[in-house]
Short mmCIF file of all heavy atoms in Angstrom, two decimals:
data_model
loop_
_atom_site.label_atom_id
_atom_site.label_comp_id
_atom_site.label_asym_id
_atom_site.label_seq_id
_atom_site.Cartn_x
_atom_site.Cartn_y
_atom_site.Cartn_z
N ARG D 751 188.43 189.12 268.59
CA ARG D 751 188.61 189.15 270.04
C ARG D 751 187.78 190.27 270.66
O ARG D 751 187.27 190.13 271.78
CB ARG D 751 190.08 189.35 270.41
CG ARG D 751 190.96 188.14 270.19
CD ARG D 751 190.54 186.94 271.07
NE ARG D 751 190.41 187.27 272.49
CZ ARG D 751 191.41 187.23 273.35
NH1 ARG D 751 192.62 186.91 272.95
NH2 ARG D 751 191.19 187.51 274.63
N TYR D 773 181.00 168.15 269.77
CA TYR D 773 180.05 169.07 270.41
C TYR D 773 180.62 170.48 270.37
O TYR D 773 181.82 170.69 270.60
CB TYR D 773 179.79 168.68 271.87
CG TYR D 773 178.88 167.50 272.05
CD1 TYR D 773 179.37 166.20 272.02
CD2 TYR D 773 177.51 167.67 272.24
CE1 TYR D 773 178.53 165.12 272.18
CE2 TYR D 773 176.66 166.59 272.39
CZ TYR D 773 177.18 165.32 272.36
OH TYR D 773 176.35 164.23 272.52
N PHE D 775 179.56 174.50 271.77
CA PHE D 775 178.68 175.26 272.67
C PHE D 775 178.97 176.75 272.51
O PHE D 775 180.12 177.16 272.38
CB PHE D 775 178.94 174.86 274.13
CG PHE D 775 178.79 173.39 274.42
CD1 PHE D 775 179.82 172.51 274.15
CD2 PHE D 775 177.63 172.89 274.97
CE1 PHE D 775 179.70 171.15 274.42
CE2 PHE D 775 177.49 171.54 275.25
CZ PHE D 775 178.53 170.67 274.97
N TYR D 777 178.39 180.20 274.75
CA TYR D 777 178.02 180.77 276.05
C TYR D 777 178.16 182.28 275.99
O TYR D 777 178.94 182.83 275.22
CB TYR D 777 178.95 180.25 277.16
CG TYR D 777 178.59 178.90 277.73
CD1 TYR D 777 178.95 177.73 277.08
CD2 TYR D 777 177.88 178.80 278.93
CE1 TYR D 777 178.63 176.50 277.61
CE2 TYR D 777 177.55 177.57 279.47
CZ TYR D 777 177.94 176.43 278.81
OH TYR D 777 177.61 175.20 279.33
N GLN D 779 178.78 185.55 278.77
CA GLN D 779 179.16 185.87 280.15
C GLN D 779 178.95 187.35 280.41
O GLN D 779 179.48 188.21 279.71
CB GLN D 779 180.62 185.50 280.41
CG GLN D 779 181.04 185.69 281.86
CD GLN D 779 182.49 185.28 282.10
OE1 GLN D 779 183.37 185.49 281.27
NE2 GLN D 779 182.74 184.67 283.26
N MET D 781 178.35 190.21 283.94
CA MET D 781 178.48 190.33 285.39
C MET D 781 177.19 189.96 286.08
O MET D 781 177.19 189.32 287.13
CB MET D 781 178.88 191.78 285.75
CG MET D 781 180.30 192.15 285.36
SD MET D 781 181.50 191.27 286.36
CE MET D 781 181.20 192.01 287.97
N MET D 782 176.08 190.38 285.48
CA MET D 782 174.79 190.17 286.15
C MET D 782 174.32 188.73 286.09
O MET D 782 173.75 188.22 287.05
CB MET D 782 173.74 191.08 285.51
CG MET D 782 173.96 192.56 285.76
SD MET D 782 173.90 192.93 287.54
CE MET D 782 172.21 192.49 287.90
N ARG D 783 174.55 188.06 284.98
CA ARG D 783 173.95 186.75 284.76
C ARG D 783 174.95 185.61 284.72
O ARG D 783 174.56 184.44 284.60
CB ARG D 783 173.13 186.76 283.47
CG ARG D 783 172.01 187.82 283.48
CD ARG D 783 171.30 187.86 282.13
NE ARG D 783 170.57 186.63 281.88
CZ ARG D 783 169.31 186.42 282.24
NH1 ARG D 783 168.64 187.37 282.89
NH2 ARG D 783 168.71 185.28 281.96
N GLY D 784 176.24 185.94 284.83
CA GLY D 784 177.26 184.90 284.81
C GLY D 784 177.36 184.23 283.45
O GLY D 784 177.15 184.87 282.42
N LEU D 785 177.66 182.95 283.45
CA LEU D 785 177.82 182.18 282.21
C LEU D 785 176.49 181.52 281.86
O LEU D 785 175.96 180.71 282.60
CB LEU D 785 178.89 181.11 282.39
CG LEU D 785 180.33 181.56 282.27
CD1 LEU D 785 181.25 180.60 282.99
CD2 LEU D 785 180.73 181.69 280.81
N LEU D 787 174.41 179.34 278.88
CA LEU D 787 174.48 178.56 277.64
C LEU D 787 173.43 179.08 276.67
O LEU D 787 172.25 179.17 277.01
CB LEU D 787 174.22 177.08 277.93
CG LEU D 787 174.19 176.16 276.72
CD1 LEU D 787 175.54 176.11 276.03
CD2 LEU D 787 173.75 174.76 277.12
N TYR D 790 173.78 174.67 271.78
CA TYR D 790 174.86 173.74 271.49
C TYR D 790 174.52 172.84 270.31
O TYR D 790 173.33 172.60 270.01
CB TYR D 790 175.27 172.94 272.73
CG TYR D 790 174.40 171.79 273.15
CD1 TYR D 790 174.64 170.50 272.68
CD2 TYR D 790 173.38 171.98 274.08
CE1 TYR D 790 173.87 169.43 273.11
CE2 TYR D 790 172.61 170.91 274.52
CZ TYR D 790 172.85 169.65 274.04
OH TYR D 790 172.08 168.59 274.47
N ASP D 798 169.99 172.09 271.25
CA ASP D 798 169.25 172.82 272.27
C ASP D 798 169.54 174.30 272.12
O ASP D 798 170.65 174.73 272.37
CB ASP D 798 169.64 172.32 273.66
CG ASP D 798 168.86 172.99 274.79
OD1 ASP D 798 168.10 173.96 274.52
OD2 ASP D 798 169.00 172.57 275.95
N SER D 800 167.46 176.59 273.59
CA SER D 800 166.53 177.21 274.55
C SER D 800 167.14 178.40 275.26
O SER D 800 166.42 179.22 275.83
CB SER D 800 166.06 176.17 275.57
OG SER D 800 167.17 175.64 276.28
N PHE D 833 181.59 183.23 274.53
CA PHE D 833 182.56 182.14 274.46
C PHE D 833 182.01 181.00 273.60
O PHE D 833 180.83 180.65 273.67
CB PHE D 833 182.85 181.59 275.86
CG PHE D 833 183.70 182.47 276.71
CD1 PHE D 833 183.13 183.22 277.73
CD2 PHE D 833 185.06 182.56 276.50
CE1 PHE D 833 183.91 184.04 278.53
CE2 PHE D 833 185.85 183.38 277.28
CZ PHE D 833 185.27 184.12 278.30
N GLY D 839 182.55 164.08 272.84
CA GLY D 839 181.60 163.32 273.63
C GLY D 839 181.03 164.14 274.78
O GLY D 839 181.32 165.33 274.92
N THR D 840 180.24 163.48 275.59
CA THR D 840 179.65 164.15 276.75
C THR D 840 180.46 163.78 277.99
O THR D 840 181.04 162.72 278.08
CB THR D 840 178.19 163.71 276.96
OG1 THR D 840 178.16 162.31 277.20
CG2 THR D 840 177.36 164.01 275.73
N GLY D 841 180.46 164.68 278.95
CA GLY D 841 181.10 164.37 280.21
C GLY D 841 182.59 164.57 280.25
O GLY D 841 183.22 164.25 281.26
N ASN D 842 183.18 165.07 279.19
CA ASN D 842 184.63 165.28 279.19
C ASN D 842 185.03 166.70 279.54
O ASN D 842 186.21 167.02 279.57
CB ASN D 842 185.21 164.92 277.82
CG ASN D 842 185.21 163.43 277.59
OD1 ASN D 842 185.53 162.65 278.49
ND2 ASN D 842 184.82 163.01 276.41
N GLY D 843 184.02 167.55 279.77
CA GLY D 843 184.36 168.95 279.96
C GLY D 843 184.65 169.59 278.63
O GLY D 843 184.78 168.92 277.61
N TYR D 844 184.72 170.89 278.65
CA TYR D 844 184.91 171.64 277.43
C TYR D 844 186.31 172.20 277.34
O TYR D 844 186.98 172.42 278.36
CB TYR D 844 184.00 172.88 277.38
CG TYR D 844 182.54 172.70 277.59
CD1 TYR D 844 181.78 173.83 277.88
CD2 TYR D 844 181.89 171.49 277.49
CE1 TYR D 844 180.43 173.75 278.06
CE2 TYR D 844 180.53 171.39 277.68
CZ TYR D 844 179.81 172.53 277.98
OH TYR D 844 178.46 172.45 278.17
N THR D 845 186.70 172.54 276.12
CA THR D 845 187.81 173.43 275.88
C THR D 845 187.23 174.74 275.38
O THR D 845 186.50 174.75 274.37
CB THR D 845 188.79 172.86 274.85
OG1 THR D 845 189.30 171.61 275.31
CG2 THR D 845 189.95 173.82 274.65
N PHE D 846 187.52 175.80 276.09
CA PHE D 846 186.98 177.11 275.74
C PHE D 846 187.92 177.89 274.84
O PHE D 846 189.14 177.77 274.95
CB PHE D 846 186.75 177.95 277.00
CG PHE D 846 185.48 177.62 277.74
CD1 PHE D 846 185.44 176.56 278.62
CD2 PHE D 846 184.34 178.38 277.55
CE1 PHE D 846 184.27 176.24 279.30
CE2 PHE D 846 183.16 178.08 278.22
CZ PHE D 846 183.13 177.02 279.10
N GLY D 847 187.31 178.71 273.99
CA GLY D 847 188.07 179.73 273.29
C GLY D 847 188.33 180.91 274.20
O GLY D 847 187.87 180.94 275.35
N SER D 848 189.05 181.88 273.68
CA SER D 848 189.41 183.07 274.47
C SER D 848 188.29 184.09 274.55
O SER D 848 188.40 185.06 275.30
CB SER D 848 190.66 183.72 273.91
OG SER D 848 191.76 182.83 274.00
N ARG D 851 184.76 189.84 273.09
CA ARG D 851 184.14 190.89 273.91
C ARG D 851 183.36 191.81 272.99
O ARG D 851 183.94 192.52 272.17
CB ARG D 851 185.18 191.66 274.70
CG ARG D 851 184.56 192.75 275.59
CD ARG D 851 185.61 193.42 276.47
NE ARG D 851 186.18 192.48 277.43
CZ ARG D 851 185.64 192.17 278.59
NH1 ARG D 851 184.49 192.73 278.95
NH2 ARG D 851 186.25 191.32 279.40
N TYR T 171 178.38 164.71 286.82
CA TYR T 171 179.75 165.00 286.41
C TYR T 171 180.05 166.39 286.98
O TYR T 171 179.23 167.30 286.82
CB TYR T 171 179.88 165.06 284.89
CG TYR T 171 179.66 163.77 284.15
CD1 TYR T 171 179.53 163.76 282.77
CD2 TYR T 171 179.57 162.55 284.81
CE1 TYR T 171 179.34 162.59 282.06
CE2 TYR T 171 179.37 161.37 284.11
CZ TYR T 171 179.26 161.39 282.74
OH TYR T 171 179.05 160.23 282.04
N PHE T 173 182.93 169.64 287.65
CA PHE T 173 184.11 170.28 287.09
C PHE T 173 184.46 171.54 287.88
O PHE T 173 183.59 172.20 288.43
CB PHE T 173 183.88 170.69 285.63
CG PHE T 173 183.44 169.58 284.72
CD1 PHE T 173 182.11 169.19 284.65
CD2 PHE T 173 184.36 168.90 283.94
CE1 PHE T 173 181.70 168.16 283.82
CE2 PHE T 173 183.96 167.87 283.10
CZ PHE T 173 182.63 167.51 283.04
N TYR T 175 186.70 175.05 286.85
CA TYR T 175 187.41 175.82 285.83
C TYR T 175 187.99 177.07 286.48
O TYR T 175 187.45 177.59 287.46
CB TYR T 175 186.46 176.26 284.71
CG TYR T 175 186.09 175.18 283.72
CD1 TYR T 175 185.07 174.29 283.99
CD2 TYR T 175 186.76 175.08 282.51
CE1 TYR T 175 184.72 173.31 283.07
CE2 TYR T 175 186.42 174.10 281.58
CZ TYR T 175 185.40 173.22 281.88
OH TYR T 175 185.06 172.25 280.96
N GLN T 177 189.43 181.06 285.43
CA GLN T 177 189.45 182.09 284.40
C GLN T 177 190.31 183.26 284.86
O GLN T 177 190.00 183.92 285.85
CB GLN T 177 188.03 182.58 284.10
CG GLN T 177 187.95 183.60 282.97
CD GLN T 177 186.54 184.09 282.70
OE1 GLN T 177 185.69 184.13 283.59
NE2 GLN T 177 186.26 184.44 281.45
N GLY T 180 190.45 188.48 281.13
CA GLY T 180 190.55 188.57 279.68
C GLY T 180 190.78 187.25 278.97
O GLY T 180 191.03 187.24 277.76
N GLN T 181 190.67 186.17 279.72
CA GLN T 181 190.94 184.85 279.13
C GLN T 181 189.69 183.98 279.15
O GLN T 181 188.69 184.29 279.82
CB GLN T 181 192.06 184.15 279.89
CG GLN T 181 193.37 184.91 279.90
CD GLN T 181 193.95 185.07 278.51
OE1 GLN T 181 194.01 184.13 277.73
NE2 GLN T 181 194.36 186.29 278.18
N GLY T 182 189.78 182.88 278.43
CA GLY T 182 188.72 181.89 278.50
C GLY T 182 188.88 181.05 279.75
O GLY T 182 189.74 181.30 280.60
N LEU T 183 188.03 180.05 279.88
CA LEU T 183 188.04 179.18 281.05
C LEU T 183 188.94 177.97 280.79
O LEU T 183 188.88 177.36 279.72
CB LEU T 183 186.63 178.71 281.39
CG LEU T 183 185.74 179.71 282.11
CD1 LEU T 183 185.25 180.79 281.18
CD2 LEU T 183 184.57 178.99 282.76
N GLN T 184 189.72 177.63 281.80
CA GLN T 184 190.62 176.48 281.69
C GLN T 184 190.18 175.42 282.68
O GLN T 184 189.91 175.72 283.85
CB GLN T 184 192.07 176.91 281.98
CG GLN T 184 193.07 175.78 281.89
CD GLN T 184 194.47 176.20 282.28
OE1 GLN T 184 194.68 177.20 282.97
NE2 GLN T 184 195.45 175.44 281.84
N LEU T 185 190.13 174.18 282.24
CA LEU T 185 189.71 173.09 283.09
C LEU T 185 190.79 172.76 284.11
O LEU T 185 191.94 172.50 283.75
CB LEU T 185 189.40 171.85 282.25
CG LEU T 185 188.95 170.60 282.98
CD1 LEU T 185 187.61 170.83 283.67
CD2 LEU T 185 188.85 169.42 282.02
N LYS T 188 188.17 167.31 287.06
CA LYS T 188 186.82 166.81 286.84
C LYS T 188 186.60 165.54 287.64
O LYS T 188 187.54 164.79 287.93
CB LYS T 188 186.59 166.55 285.35
CG LYS T 188 187.57 165.58 284.73
CD LYS T 188 187.41 165.53 283.22
CE LYS T 188 188.46 164.60 282.58
NZ LYS T 188 188.40 164.63 281.10
N PHE T 190 184.00 162.13 287.62
CA PHE T 190 182.93 161.37 286.98
C PHE T 190 182.42 160.27 287.90
O PHE T 190 181.22 160.09 288.07
CB PHE T 190 183.41 160.72 285.67
CG PHE T 190 183.78 161.71 284.62
CD1 PHE T 190 184.66 161.37 283.60
CD2 PHE T 190 183.25 162.98 284.61
CE1 PHE T 190 185.00 162.28 282.62
CE2 PHE T 190 183.58 163.89 283.63
CZ PHE T 190 184.46 163.53 282.63
N GLU T 227 189.40 183.96 288.75
CA GLU T 227 188.02 183.59 289.10
C GLU T 227 187.86 182.09 288.87
O GLU T 227 188.33 181.56 287.86
CB GLU T 227 187.00 184.37 288.28
CG GLU T 227 185.57 184.15 288.73
CD GLU T 227 184.71 185.39 288.61
OE1 GLU T 227 185.06 186.28 287.83
OE2 GLU T 227 183.67 185.45 289.31
N PHE T 229 185.27 178.74 288.72
CA PHE T 229 183.90 178.33 288.45
C PHE T 229 183.74 176.83 288.68
O PHE T 229 184.53 176.03 288.16
CB PHE T 229 183.51 178.65 287.01
CG PHE T 229 183.42 180.12 286.70
CD1 PHE T 229 184.51 180.81 286.22
CD2 PHE T 229 182.22 180.80 286.90
CE1 PHE T 229 184.42 182.17 285.94
CE2 PHE T 229 182.12 182.15 286.61
CZ PHE T 229 183.23 182.84 286.14
N LEU T 234 175.57 167.78 282.57
CA LEU T 234 174.34 167.01 282.39
C LEU T 234 174.57 166.00 281.29
O LEU T 234 174.40 166.30 280.10
CB LEU T 234 173.19 167.95 282.05
CG LEU T 234 173.05 169.17 282.96
CD1 LEU T 234 171.85 170.01 282.55
CD2 LEU T 234 172.95 168.77 284.42
N TYR T 235 174.96 164.80 281.66
CA TYR T 235 175.37 163.82 280.64
C TYR T 235 174.20 163.34 279.81
O TYR T 235 174.39 162.81 278.73
CB TYR T 235 176.08 162.63 281.29
CG TYR T 235 175.28 161.89 282.33
CD1 TYR T 235 174.38 160.90 281.95
CD2 TYR T 235 175.41 162.17 283.68
CE1 TYR T 235 173.65 160.22 282.89
CE2 TYR T 235 174.69 161.50 284.63
CZ TYR T 235 173.80 160.52 284.24
OH TYR T 235 173.07 159.84 285.19
N ASN T 236 172.97 163.56 280.29
CA ASN T 236 171.81 163.18 279.49
C ASN T 236 171.30 164.34 278.65
O ASN T 236 170.24 164.23 278.03
CB ASN T 236 170.69 162.65 280.39
CG ASN T 236 170.23 163.69 281.41
OD1 ASN T 236 170.91 164.67 281.63
ND2 ASN T 236 169.08 163.45 282.02
N GLN T 237 172.03 165.43 278.65
CA GLN T 237 171.68 166.58 277.82
C GLN T 237 172.93 167.05 277.08
O GLN T 237 173.31 168.22 277.11
CB GLN T 237 171.11 167.72 278.67
CG GLN T 237 169.78 167.37 279.31
CD GLN T 237 169.17 168.54 280.07
OE1 GLN T 237 169.16 169.67 279.57
NE2 GLN T 237 168.69 168.29 281.27
N GLY T 238 173.54 166.12 276.43
CA GLY T 238 174.70 166.46 275.60
C GLY T 238 175.92 166.89 276.39
O GLY T 238 176.85 167.45 275.82
N GLY T 239 175.91 166.64 277.67
CA GLY T 239 177.06 167.03 278.47
C GLY T 239 177.13 168.52 278.74
O GLY T 239 178.18 169.03 279.14
N LYS T 240 176.03 169.23 278.52
CA LYS T 240 176.11 170.67 278.72
C LYS T 240 176.38 170.99 280.18
O LYS T 240 175.94 170.28 281.07
CB LYS T 240 174.86 171.37 278.21
CG LYS T 240 173.59 171.17 279.01
CD LYS T 240 172.46 171.93 278.34
CE LYS T 240 171.20 171.91 279.16
NZ LYS T 240 170.09 172.63 278.47
N LEU T 241 177.12 172.04 280.40
CA LEU T 241 177.55 172.42 281.73
C LEU T 241 176.69 173.56 282.28
O LEU T 241 176.42 174.54 281.58
CB LEU T 241 179.02 172.87 281.72
CG LEU T 241 180.05 171.83 281.30
CD1 LEU T 241 181.45 172.41 281.42
CD2 LEU T 241 179.93 170.57 282.13
N ILE T 242 176.31 173.40 283.54
CA ILE T 242 175.66 174.47 284.28
C ILE T 242 176.69 175.02 285.25
O ILE T 242 177.22 174.27 286.08
CB ILE T 242 174.43 173.95 285.05
CG1 ILE T 242 173.46 173.23 284.10
CG2 ILE T 242 173.75 175.11 285.77
CD1 ILE T 242 172.89 174.10 283.01
N PHE T 243 176.96 176.31 285.15
CA PHE T 243 178.02 176.92 285.95
C PHE T 243 177.46 177.63 287.17
O PHE T 243 176.35 178.18 287.16
CB PHE T 243 178.79 177.94 285.11
CG PHE T 243 179.71 177.34 284.10
CD1 PHE T 243 179.26 177.03 282.83
CD2 PHE T 243 181.03 177.06 284.43
CE1 PHE T 243 180.11 176.46 281.89
CE2 PHE T 243 181.90 176.50 283.50
CZ PHE T 243 181.43 176.20 282.24
N GLY T 244 178.27 177.65 288.23
CA GLY T 244 178.00 178.53 289.35
C GLY T 244 178.38 179.96 288.98
O GLY T 244 178.88 180.23 287.89
N GLN T 245 178.12 180.87 289.91
CA GLN T 245 178.36 182.29 289.65
C GLN T 245 179.84 182.67 289.75
O GLN T 245 180.21 183.78 289.40
CB GLN T 245 177.55 183.14 290.62
CG GLN T 245 176.07 183.18 290.27
CD GLN T 245 175.81 183.87 288.93
OE1 GLN T 245 175.65 183.23 287.89
NE2 GLN T 245 175.78 185.19 288.94
#
Side-chain angles (χ1 to χ4, degrees):
Chain D
R751 286 298 308 273
Y773 283 86
F775 304 82
Y777 277 81
Q779 185 178 37
M781 289 291 293
M782 292 299 296
R783 301 176 67 89
L785 280 157
L787 177 64
Y790 78 91
D798 182 352
S800 59
F833 286 104
T840 61
N842 287 319
Y844 306 164
T845 300
F846 280 83
S848 297
R851 181 175 295 276
Chain T
Y171 293 169
F173 304 83
Y175 283 84
Q177 184 181 29
Q181 300 297 313
L183 282 75
Q184 180 184 21
L185 180 64
K188 57 188 177 185
F190 295 157
E227 187 144 23
F229 292 92
L234 311 182
Y235 58 85
N236 60 345
Q237 294 184 45
K240 71 180 187 182
L241 298 184
I242 305 298
F243 286 89
Q245 285 295 98

